[in-house]
Amino acid sequence: MSESESSSSPRSSLVFAYYVTGHGFGHATRVVEVVRYLISSGHRVHVVSAAPEFVFTMEIHSPNLFIRKVLLDCGSVQADALSVDRRASLEKYCEIAVEPRDSILATEAEWLKSIKANLVVSDVVPIACRAAANAGIRSVCVTNFSWDFIYAEYVMAAGHHHRSIVWQIAEDYSHCEFLIRLPGYCPMPAFHDVIDIPLVVRPVHKSGQEVRRELGVPDNVKLLIFNFGGQPTGWTLKEEYLPAGWLCLVCGASAKQELPPNFIALPKDAYTPDVIAASDCMLGKIGYGTVSEALAYKLRFIFVRRDYFNEEPFLRKMLEYYQGGVEMIRRDLLAGCWAPYLERAVTLKPCYDGGIDGGEVAAKILQDTAMGKKRSKLNLSGARRLRDAIILGFQLQRAPGRDLSVPEWYQVAGNEAGIPSVDQTQKPSKFVEGFEILHGDHHGLSDTIGFLDSLATLAKIGGHHQEREHLAAAALFNWEEDIVVARAPGRLDVMGGIADYSGSLVLLMPTREACHAAVQRNHPSKQKLWKHAEARHHSRDTPILEIVSFGSELSNRGPTFDMDLSDFMEEDGKPISYDKAYHYFSRDPSQKWAAYVAGTILVLMREMDVRFEDSISILVSSTVPEGKGVSSSASVEVATMSAVAAAHGLEISPRDVALLCQKVENYVVGAPCGVMDQMASACGEANKLLAMICQPAEILGLVEIPSHIRFWGIDSGIRHSVGGSDYGSVRIGAFIGKTMIRSFAASFAETNSEEAEEESSELIESDTSLDYLCNLSPHRFQALYASKLPQSITGEEFLEKYGDHGDSVTTIDKDGTYAIMAPTRHPIYENFRVQAFKALLTATPSEEQVIGLGELMYQCHDSYSACGIGSDGTDRLVRLVQNMENLKSSKTENGTLYGAKITGGGSGGTVCVIGKSSLRSSEQILQIQQKYKEATGFMPYVFEGSSPGAGKFGYLKIRKNSAT
């Protein structure tokens, strides 16, 4: 409907200021629909955006449309059509909207008053809401996601100093009166009130037959629209990419791009909805515009995942729910292996039957609001608003017994959703439903029994209503052949933490939560292949690796991965280098997770000279929450390594399994972790602390946890990553500090200085070759070296003066600045604290004992903060524990908490708490949960209980019962 066709008009013309994110075309094209209805009703609309002007003016020809070209946010900075530069995105947002914030607010408030705006609408520019509030004008947001949600994960890569950006954006959104929420939405807790509307979809202007006639495409030719938005791809397209009988219409092709005869470049001003209506399939990236129009016009959508587009899982879930989507692996997109995906897509029957008049509905709501209509606020709690925001209920759950798979900053604990707790008291058995256990014992662990039950279900699975990962897993195994299952828990870092890479003593407790890996080997000729893998394999003599990961939606990763095992071999028959493997898995970040699993194969090849002649199928299912600092990655590596070794008859000790798995993480994945995580997962035992000196992995033994003491882990909700910049910088700082100390010691010895005379020459000499910082006692560090260490140093200055820092898993950025004093001091003092903690654990039970243990944990927590790897959430949890301790009415009170500390690599994750083993302590943990939720809107997950490590568990060999 054009503006001149409107016959209805309100009593007075209203003025709308509509702020639009300039990121991509999706925001602008849906805004066009809303604006079109507002203008057709006689209103004036000022669009404020950095998006190309033609996007708005091509569809709306009216004197009541005003375009103001202003850049107020940057969205996501893209490296290419499928990748986001997370650090650059936050840095660009700082440059655009944070540094000039005061000036922007003043300018926008003045401008809004000058145009006499009745209502400010934002899709979904944060600062517009605050500017409207400053100008005394009501504001409304219209969107399916908000930038605080998107940027939350970017902080892991960019560093904790960017965290304030997320909170500032959320605070800006909180000035918005309510949210008009589009289908396929993400969690958006910043908004206090919500109105849901149908899809906002551009209408078609021509029938599919008209479009085909104009393009000269016969009815018997199938059309594929190649649509990767406004971002140039630069990819080479070849004739053989398409099966016979197909033509491809290319959106956004450059004038210089040469296309084969079966590819047609669409003109720049081509109206995409008309082309979509004429096509049989679309190949592209997921965004709101492409998904909504594919659903509305029942177009089959072959999509390729993008890196770090955090709204994508929610749109993808909606697309797959309505049977409209097929995922293509990025490798197959670039290699031209399109045929199996097109064959699969044409069998789909998209079934979306919801409304597509969201533009008109939104315009009516905005008009009513601008005319003064008020809404009563719902005042929902943060957790309640979040649960309401989860698309398709709890279908994004990973597995029973774990927390919900909503991205980590806005996650609700599984126990709030009523998921039953794990009961580990069942009796051992050689039989479970559907399988006979030929070797090993499930030890009565209900998570293991549950995993075996899930395998039995997979053996019977069928139908298109199932999750894609379940369908892939069902086709993974030859169910009549033996399957090997291994189990490895996460770990709770009780004491030691990041001091592990400096050689500290550490104390670790295996968690109740664990990862299971099921492995089957088959002759290549008998290996079951997925259709896209089958299309790549002309010979069935090549062994391949196929992996399925349950719970893939949690981190927006592809649930399947496959590769030829020959990809791990050089032409001379030797395994490829770790550096080549790192780059191999880094090509597609949505599948980089496979490095944790497939990397075990390469490490066995390189370190133990194993050669794999059979194909290998691996299913990984974990209940160890990711990003919590409880070693989810180590549990995956250890479970997979243990299962692969058992399936191939390799006898590897638990300690050696851990050391091999550390190589997977350090060199294949590229995360600079120490070895304690893998050691705890492989060598730990239930309800005991593994005591280990990390030089590199000397196990001192198992420390019994006294019956009157108990440990808990409480998740802060702030995602942790040992691959993040904060952890890596602190590690580099510690190794730089060690290098400097060795240099200082050598200088003392050479110059016969006063310091050297006061110390024995043997000690000075030993310091010149100091291999681990923790071999230096606190008093020697303080007396000789502390005053000489700088607080920080630039990478360039260090490299010029000292050369290498001696750490093979981190690289110094010459343009970076590294803290030195705090990262060097921390492991030296932490090693002493852990030794004292271990000694106190075995002391006579007393109030002083637990007070002393708690004080050591508090000191450790403060030292993390001094290193710059604390977080607001973990600090809040530690303060809540301290408050509980201070609230006890008397020293004889039955049960209390005594200490807490951040764990693992820091910068978020989990806090470890120590208390008396009593009901009162458990009640206080629940109170802390509630208080944290009240303050943040996030219900933290509580880690409670323990389970055996992979070595103690052994492995299971199972076979399907012939009767099932």
Side-chain angles (χ1 to χ4, degrees):
M1 179 177 66
S2 66
E3 287 70 44
S4 60
E5 295 171 343
S6 174
S7 59
S8 61
S9 166
R11 292 177 182 176
S12 60
S13 177
L14 300 170
V15 177
F16 294 86
Y18 212 132
Y19 288 80
V20 187
T21 287
H23 176 75
F25 289 165
H27 297 267
T29 54
R30 71 189 183 199
V31 165
V32 165
E33 275 308 290
V34 181
V35 170
R36 198 164 63 85
Y37 281 105
L38 290 172
I39 289 178
S40 70
S41 298
H43 306 304
R44 287 178 291 157
V45 181
H46 295 258
V47 172
V48 184
S49 180
E53 188 171 325
F54 76 85
V55 178
F56 305 99
T57 57
M58 188 170 62
E59 281 299 300
I60 303 174
H61 309 284
S62 170
N64 286 335
L65 173 65
F66 306 89
I67 308 294
R68 179 168 168 250
K69 197 87 168 182
V70 179
L71 181 62
L72 296 177
D73 68 351
C74 62
S76 297
V77 176
Q78 293 186 227
D80 54 48
L82 295 174
S83 303
V84 165
D85 187 327
R86 293 174 291 174
R87 183 191 299 272
S89 297
L90 291 176
E91 290 174 349
K92 188 71 173 177
Y93 187 84
C94 274
E95 177 188 334
I96 291 171
V98 176
E99 293 169 4
R101 178 178 175 81
D102 292 342
S103 173
I104 290 173
L105 287 172
T107 299
E108 295 307 304
E110 182 178 351
W111 176 76
L112 288 169
K113 292 175 183 177
S114 72
I115 65 169
K116 297 182 171 56
N118 298 102
L119 185 69
V120 171
V121 189
S122 179
D123 184 354
V124 62
V125 181
I127 203 167
C129 302
R130 180 57 184 266
N134 288 358
I137 302 170
R138 301 167 72 188
S139 65
V140 174
C141 283
V142 184
T143 186
N144 65 302
F145 73 83
S146 55
W147 287 113
D148 55 332
F149 176 82
I150 303 302
Y151 286 162
E153 187 179 349
Y154 295 4
V155 170
M156 284 190 296
H160 70 279
H161 54 285
H162 287 290
R163 229 176 261 153
S164 59
I165 294 175
V166 175
W167 300 123
Q168 182 64 70
I169 291 173
E171 197 273 335
D172 284 347
Y173 285 142
S174 71
H175 292 280
C176 165
E177 189 163 320
F178 61 88
L179 165 69
I180 297 177
R181 190 168 59 182
L182 302 173
Y185 47 79
C186 302
M188 293 181 278
F191 299 100
H192 302 287
D193 197 2
V194 170
I195 302 175
D196 287 307
I197 64 170
L199 289 174
V200 175
V201 178
R202 292 179 291 176
V204 294
H205 298 331
K206 301 175 183 177
S207 69
Q209 286 185 332
E210 287 181 277
V211 174
R212 280 177 172 261
R213 278 198 302 270
E214 291 178 2
L215 293 171
V217 178
D219 291 341
N220 64 341
V221 172
K222 293 190 178 299
L223 274 181
L224 171 69
I225 177 171
F226 186 83
N227 185 8
F228 281 85
Q231 189 79 16
T233 63
W235 299 323
T236 301
L237 300 172
K238 299 180 180 179
E239 185 174 357
E240 59 266 27
Y241 287 6
L242 291 174
W246 281 84
L247 281 178
C248 181
L249 307 175
V250 181
C251 297
S254 68
K256 298 179 181 179
Q257 187 173 5
E258 294 185 7
L259 296 177
N262 51 352
F263 286 78
I264 301 172
L266 288 171
K268 181 181 178 182
D269 60 352
Y271 188 58
T272 308
D274 287 349
V275 181
I276 282 177
S279 300
D280 296 279
C281 293
M282 176 161 57
L283 172 57
K285 59 186 181 182
I286 283 183
Y288 178 83
T290 52
V291 169
S292 61
E293 289 173 358
L295 289 174
Y297 301 116
K298 294 182 169 50
L299 179 71
R300 304 160 182 91
F301 192 172
I302 302 169
F303 60 86
V304 182
R305 291 185 192 230
R306 297 184 289 173
D307 312 333
Y308 311 116
F309 284 79
N310 299 346
E311 75 274 24
E312 201 172 277
F314 301 88
L315 293 168
R316 184 171 65 245
K317 204 71 180 178
M318 182 169 66
L319 184 66
E320 293 179 341
Y321 181 80
Y322 291 111
Q323 300 179 38
V326 173
E327 179 174 353
M328 177 184 284
I329 298 171
R330 186 180 305 188
R331 177 179 55 187
D332 288 341
L333 169 72
L334 301 178
C337 184
W338 295 6
Y341 299 97
L342 291 169
E343 292 169 8
R344 166 73 179 126
V346 295
T347 67
L348 297 179
K349 296 181 179 179
C351 60
Y352 179 76
D353 56 359
I356 59 173
D357 60 343
E360 184 176 6
V361 174
K364 179 66 168 62
I365 296 169
L366 294 174
Q367 176 181 282
D368 290 346
T369 304
M371 294 176 69
K373 183 176 179 180
K374 299 285 187 180
R375 286 183 55 81
S376 59
K377 292 192 176 182
L378 301 179
N379 292 321
L380 301 177
S381 71
R384 169 69 185 281
R385 293 201 305 273
L386 169 60
R387 291 210 300 179
D388 183 55
I390 300 173
I391 194 70
L392 302 177
F394 293 111
Q395 288 193 13
L396 292 179
Q397 248 173 260
R398 255 201 194 186
R402 67 166 303 129
D403 52 337
L404 305 180
S405 59
V406 178
E408 309 295 337
W409 280 54
Y410 300 131
Q411 192 168 16
V412 179
N415 51 2
E416 184 184 356
I419 299 173
S421 60
V422 178
D423 175 14
Q424 301 188 359
T425 61
Q426 301 183 41
K427 300 294 183 184
S429 170
K430 287 295 180 183
F431 294 90
V432 293
E433 184 178 354
F435 290 101
E436 177 185 359
I437 298 178
L438 305 177
H439 176 276
D441 192 335
H442 57 55
H443 301 278
L445 294 166
S446 65
D447 62 339
T448 300
I449 295 170
F451 178 71
L452 296 177
D453 287 344
S454 71
L455 290 180
T457 301
L458 289 173
K460 307 172 186 175
I461 206 167
H464 295 291
H465 65 284
Q466 299 289 342
E467 293 282 348
R468 194 164 67 88
E469 63 187 33
H470 289 92
L471 291 172
L476 183 66
F477 295 121
N478 290 318
W479 293 104
E480 307 306 319
E481 303 295 329
D482 294 351
I483 298 173
V484 170
V485 175
R487 176 190 185 278
R491 66 98 187 94
L492 184 63
D493 162 33
V494 175
M495 287 293 287
I498 60 167
D500 64 340
Y501 54 67
S502 294
S504 178
L505 172 68
V506 295
L507 298 173
L508 312 163
M509 185 179 79
T511 63
R512 179 189 64 186
E513 295 78 8
C515 174
H516 288 84
V519 171
Q520 185 180 73
R521 52 187 292 197
N522 288 294
H523 188 274
S525 63
K526 296 181 179 180
Q527 178 73 8
K528 298 173 70 175
L529 296 178
W530 297 312
K531 286 189 179 297
H532 66 268
E534 190 173 336
R536 286 201 302 269
H537 291 81
H538 303 293
S539 169
R540 295 301 299 271
D541 296 327
T542 303
I544 70 166
L545 172 65
E546 292 184 309
I547 306 170
V548 174
S549 170
F550 275 180
S552 58
E553 296 295 348
L554 178 64
S555 297
N556 190 22
R557 59 173 182 258
T560 64
F561 174 85
D562 65 277
M563 64 177 290
D564 292 352
L565 286 176
S566 59
D567 290 348
F568 277 154
M569 302 297 292
E570 299 281 13
E571 291 183 2
D572 61 4
K574 295 180 180 178
I576 63 173
S577 68
Y578 288 133
D579 184 62
K580 282 188 177 180
Y582 170 77
H583 287 97
Y584 179 93
F585 289 107
S586 298
R587 293 180 303 182
D588 183 354
S590 74
Q591 293 202 314
K592 190 175 180 180
W593 62 268
Y596 293 98
V597 182
T600 62
I601 304 290
L602 178 63
V603 168
L604 287 172
M605 293 169 71
R606 287 187 58 85
E607 305 300 328
M608 297 187 64
D609 201 29
V610 179
R611 295 295 179 265
F612 297 94
E613 298 179 354
D614 287 339
S615 292
I616 303 172
S617 301
I618 304 176
L619 172 64
V620 175
S621 178
S622 181
T623 59
V624 184
E626 297 178 31
K628 312 291 189 190
V630 290
S631 302
S632 58
S633 58
S635 67
V636 170
E637 294 155 358
V638 171
T640 303
M641 180 77 75
S642 301
V644 170
H648 292 82
L650 304 174
E651 294 186 5
I652 309 175
S653 70
R655 179 182 181 276
D656 288 341
V657 165
L659 292 172
L660 291 170
C661 289
Q662 186 194 18
K663 291 183 182 295
V664 175
E665 187 133 5
N666 285 172
Y667 301 123
V668 183
V669 176
C673 71
V675 74
M676 73 174 193
D677 298 350
Q678 291 81 5
M679 291 294 289
S681 187
C683 306
E685 292 189 19
N687 301 310
K688 296 178 182 178
L689 300 183
L690 179 72
M692 182 182 72
I693 296 177
C694 303
Q695 300 189 15
E698 180 187 344
I699 296 176
L700 297 185
L702 295 162
V703 180
E704 293 281 352
I705 299 174
S707 59
H708 66 291
I709 288 175
R710 195 170 186 180
F711 296 101
W712 295 264
I714 306 179
D715 168 35
S716 68
I718 298 175
R719 190 177 174 92
H720 145 90
S721 170
V722 294
S725 65
D726 302 327
Y727 174 92
S729 296
V730 172
R731 175 168 177 147
I732 289 172
F735 276 86
I736 287 177
K738 184 186 74 171
T739 303
M740 288 181 166
I741 287 173
R742 292 171 64 164
S743 176
F744 296 153
S747 178
F748 293 158
E750 291 172 3
T751 60
N752 296 315
S753 64
E754 183 179 335
E755 289 94 336
E757 291 177 5
E758 293 176 357
E759 298 288 336
S760 70
S761 59
E762 290 84 0
L763 287 175
I764 292 291
E765 186 64 31
S766 69
D767 289 349
T768 64
S769 57
L770 184 68
D771 47 0
Y772 293 98
L773 276 175
C774 292
N775 290 340
L776 187 65
S777 65
H779 80 271
R780 280 179 56 74
F781 168 75
Q782 201 64 41
L784 289 176
Y785 305 114
S787 62
K788 298 184 178 298
L789 283 174
Q791 292 296 318
S792 63
I793 193 172
T794 65
E796 184 175 21
E797 183 183 353
F798 173 80
L799 291 172
E800 286 180 358
K801 187 171 183 179
Y802 296 95
D804 185 41
H805 67 315
D807 183 18
S808 62
V809 298
T810 57
T811 302
I812 294 176
D813 178 1
K814 66 181 181 65
D815 296 325
T817 299
Y818 298 94
I820 304 302
M821 174 59 79
T824 304
R825 176 188 173 90
H826 172 79
I828 294 170
Y829 281 81
E830 180 69 1
N831 184 50
F832 179 79
R833 285 189 289 264
V834 183
Q835 291 173 342
F837 194 95
K838 180 174 178 287
L840 265 178
L841 272 178
T842 59
T844 303
S846 66
E847 184 78 2
E848 290 72 20
Q849 177 201 31
V850 285
I851 289 174
L853 292 168
E855 174 59 27
L856 290 169
M857 294 180 78
Y858 286 140
Q859 290 180 19
C860 171
H861 180 81
D862 291 341
S863 187
Y864 263 73
S865 297
C867 290
I869 48 175
S871 75
D872 298 337
T874 49
D875 287 348
R876 183 183 293 274
L877 284 169
V878 170
R879 286 196 301 271
L880 287 171
V881 172
Q882 291 171 330
N883 291 342
M884 285 292 178
E885 183 181 1
N886 294 333
L887 284 175
K888 52 180 187 171
S889 57
S890 71
K891 290 186 179 181
T892 60
E893 184 176 324
N894 182 25
T896 188
L897 308 178
Y898 288 86
K901 61 177 277 289
I902 194 171
T903 63
S907 296
T910 295
V911 163
C912 178
V913 180
I914 187 173
K916 287 187 176 178
S917 182
S918 66
L919 178 61
R920 177 62 181 151
S921 294
S922 297
E923 290 173 349
Q924 290 184 337
I925 293 291
L926 292 175
Q927 290 174 30
I928 288 172
Q929 268 188 300
Q930 291 298 326
K931 288 179 181 293
Y932 193 80
K933 175 188 170 185
E934 290 168 6
T936 66
F938 173 87
M939 174 65 89
Y941 185 94
V942 173
F943 297 91
E944 188 170 8
S946 185
S947 67
K952 194 72 173 178
F953 180 86
Y955 71 91
L956 302 176
K957 181 180 286 187
I958 61 174
R959 180 180 296 163
K960 185 180 176 184
N961 288 335
S962 57
T964 60

